[in-house]
Amino acid sequence: QEEAPAMTTREATRFLRLAEKAAEHSHCRRRHVGALLIREREDGLKVILRKGINRAPREVCDVCPREGFPSGDRLDLCPAEHAEIGALKNRKEIRTLVRDGERLVLCVTTHPCADCCRKIEERGIMVVFYLENYPGQEEAEKLAPHVRFVKVGD
């Protein structure tokens, strides 16, 4: 079976701009993150399957329970759904959307946290393109050894 055409950095940049637009709708006061789940078809066409933003009920985000903690610390206090999780919901359905010779790519505005990296690996995502670094990302990537993480931009 021939491997699906790989998404280029130029193509990823276009999808990441769309993820940034989606992130503008986030309710989170600390960080606006957007994610797009993309299917790379055998014919080279890239299809957006899902989008996600980090979200929580507005009243919860009025006062962040992580206020005072550095970025990346005490994620357990945060009630928000991460953008990656929003884009990756329903594992069984996602697997039915991909055919032989195709693969899934995630474009996300910020490098995924450790928990999201674990779920990305479980969902069979092959590549993650991202714009911004995130604290602890080297350790997080160890939880997803089959995923290639690619920083786009500076």
Side-chain angles (χ1 to χ4, degrees), residues 3-111:
E3 177 130 347
M7 183 180 294
T8 66
T9 303
R10 183 179 182 155
E11 290 171 316
T13 299
R14 288 200 307 265
F15 285 114
L16 286 164
R17 297 295 166 242
L18 293 173
E20 285 180 313
K21 285 287 186 202
E24 292 174 6
H25 299 283
S26 169
H27 304 156
C28 182
R29 292 175 48 170
R30 287 182 68 130
R31 188 178 294 271
H32 295 263
V33 181
L36 297 176
L37 179 64
I38 297 148
R39 178 176 79 195
E40 289 187 312
R41 292 184 4 181
E42 282 185 277
D43 61 7
L45 185 66
K46 280 54 171 185
V47 180
I48 298 172
L49 299 176
R50 294 245 176 84
K51 82 173 179 173
I53 60 171
N54 55 336
R55 66 173 76 212
R58 285 192 192 271
E59 61 275 6
V60 172
C61 287
D62 285 342
V63 179
C64 180
R66 292 180 50 229
E67 206 63 52
F69 292 101
S71 183
D73 282 1
R74 296 305 313 264
L75 293 177
D76 58 307
L77 296 177
C78 181
E81 174 182 83
H82 288 193
E84 302 91 327
I85 302 307
L88 296 174
K89 276 187 179 171
N90 196 339
R91 179 186 340 190
K92 288 180 185 174
E93 181 189 337
I94 288 172
R95 292 195 188 269
T96 65
L97 297 173
V98 181
R99 296 170 188 87
D100 285 344
E102 298 180 338
R103 67 182 185 169
L104 293 173
V105 173
L106 189 68
C107 290
V108 61
T109 55
T110 302
H111 189 288

Side-chain angles (χ1 to χ4, degrees), residues 121 125-127 141 143-149:
E121 173 90 6
I125 308 302
M126 304 298 295
V127 181
E141 287 182 16
L143 300 172
H146 300 101
V147 179
R148 187 168 57 100
F149 291 88

